Amino acid sequence: MKKKLLILALASVFCMSGCGEKDKPAASITDEVDQYAEQIQESGQEGLIAPSEAVKNLLIKTWKVDGEDDVYTMKQDGTGTKNEESFTFECGFDEDNNITLEITLDGTGEKELYALSSDETGYGLDLAALDNGKDLRLVPADLEFLGMGDERAAGIVGEWKDQSGNRYVFGKDNCVTIKGSDQDTEGTYSAVQDADGTLLLKLMVPGGSLEFEYKLNEDNTQIELCSPGTDMVHVWTKG
């Protein structure tokens, strides 16, 4: 049973998918999941960290609340701030297979409990309140999301072909179809610019995501793509 719970929890960490009833907080299984991961590591498997720690590592940054003025900053030591108010936070899992985030405000002791899931862009987080609070969407504060009114994103729209003959059809609705030799794959995409001015393209498809640094030529007929941290450049042509 513990092994099954760990597999479910690890799948949740990497897929960042939450489910369950948001108005009825379920019992936590965080200790059980983390303890089983520790047992695996003690048996000789190296490089495995507690699943709750893996979730926390994904949150260590500054986030803006979409559509509001609130800003959350989360740190490695489990502390953070909501605007100017300090808090502590813990990540975990519950019996409804939610990835959970619990925030405790230092000044009032007030708690906020959420189920975490990745948003459709792959960059933000959807927070579904589990304590009858307000649902939130968090987006990284250091990213500028590019809409279709911006040529840096609009230039991506259309059909592209890579050097292997695969085709990628990007729609104005941020949907993408990857046309392979055997089957088509449907997904979504988003374009952002980071604080260093780098343009990033992320494709969200069933089972995972792909992220590239990208550069369009002047007439938007060629795009150069490079996975962050690598030197390999892929060139796609439009049409």
Side-chain angles (χ1 to χ4, degrees):
M1 178 63 178
K2 288 184 178 180
K3 184 173 182 180
K4 181 178 179 182
L5 290 172
L6 178 62
I7 292 171
L8 288 173
L10 289 174
S12 296
V13 170
F14 294 113
C15 296
M16 294 298 287
S17 59
C19 54
E21 298 181 38
K22 72 175 185 177
D23 293 328
K24 297 175 63 178
S28 173
I29 60 170
T30 305
D31 289 344
E32 185 172 6
V33 170
D34 284 351
Q35 286 171 8
Y36 189 75
E38 184 177 344
Q39 291 171 12
I40 292 177
Q41 188 167 19
E42 289 174 351
S43 69
Q45 184 168 332
E46 300 294 332
L48 184 65
I49 66 172
S52 60
E53 187 74 11
V55 175
K56 185 178 77 171
N57 290 342
L58 295 174
L59 298 178
I60 307 307
K61 63 180 66 177
T62 298
W63 304 86
K64 297 185 298 185
V65 178
D66 187 35
E68 300 182 15
D69 295 328
D70 290 335
V71 176
Y72 288 79
T73 298
M74 302 188 193
K75 302 177 183 178
Q76 184 68 47
D77 62 0
T79 65
T81 57
K82 176 183 178 181
N83 302 325
E84 299 299 324
E85 187 172 3
S86 60
F87 63 74
T88 57
F89 71 96
E90 294 182 353
C91 300
F93 309 92
D94 67 21
E95 288 183 338
D96 284 342
N97 198 30
N98 289 312
I99 304 172
T100 58
L101 168 65
E102 184 176 64
I103 293 173
T104 303
L105 299 174
D106 290 349
T108 63
E110 179 183 350
K111 294 182 181 294
E112 301 175 4
L113 181 62
Y114 302 99
L116 296 177
S117 61
S118 176
D119 72 359
E120 63 182 7
T121 72
Y123 288 107
L125 294 174
D126 288 325
L127 274 59
L130 294 173
D131 53 4
N132 295 314
K134 182 179 180 180
D135 295 347
L136 304 175
R137 176 176 177 249
L138 300 183
V139 295
D142 61 348
L143 293 183
E144 176 190 0
F145 286 79
L146 308 179
M148 287 303 147
D150 191 313
E151 185 60 27
R152 294 171 295 176
I156 298 171
V157 174
E159 183 168 344
W160 299 84
K161 182 173 67 174
D162 68 18
Q163 292 157 311
S164 298
N166 298 310
R167 292 186 174 273
Y168 306 79
V169 181
F170 293 86
K172 292 182 179 179
D173 57 357
N174 289 100
C175 290
V176 61
T177 301
I178 303 174
K179 296 179 174 291
S181 57
D182 297 327
Q183 63 180 7
D184 294 350
T185 301
E186 304 289 340
T188 60
Y189 73 96
S190 57
V192 301
Q193 179 175 279
D194 68 15
D196 296 324
T198 302
L199 296 175
L200 299 169
L201 172 66
K202 178 169 282 192
L203 310 185
M204 298 290 291
V205 295
S209 64
L210 298 169
E211 185 181 45
F212 303 98
E213 297 177 6
Y214 76 93
K215 181 180 180 181
L216 289 158
N217 66 355
E218 289 187 3
D219 59 1
N220 296 332
T221 58
Q222 180 175 290
I223 186 170
E224 295 181 357
L225 302 159
C226 180
S227 297
T230 71
D231 296 324
M232 182 175 293
V233 177
H234 307 275
V235 178
W236 297 356
T237 55
K238 184 173 282 188

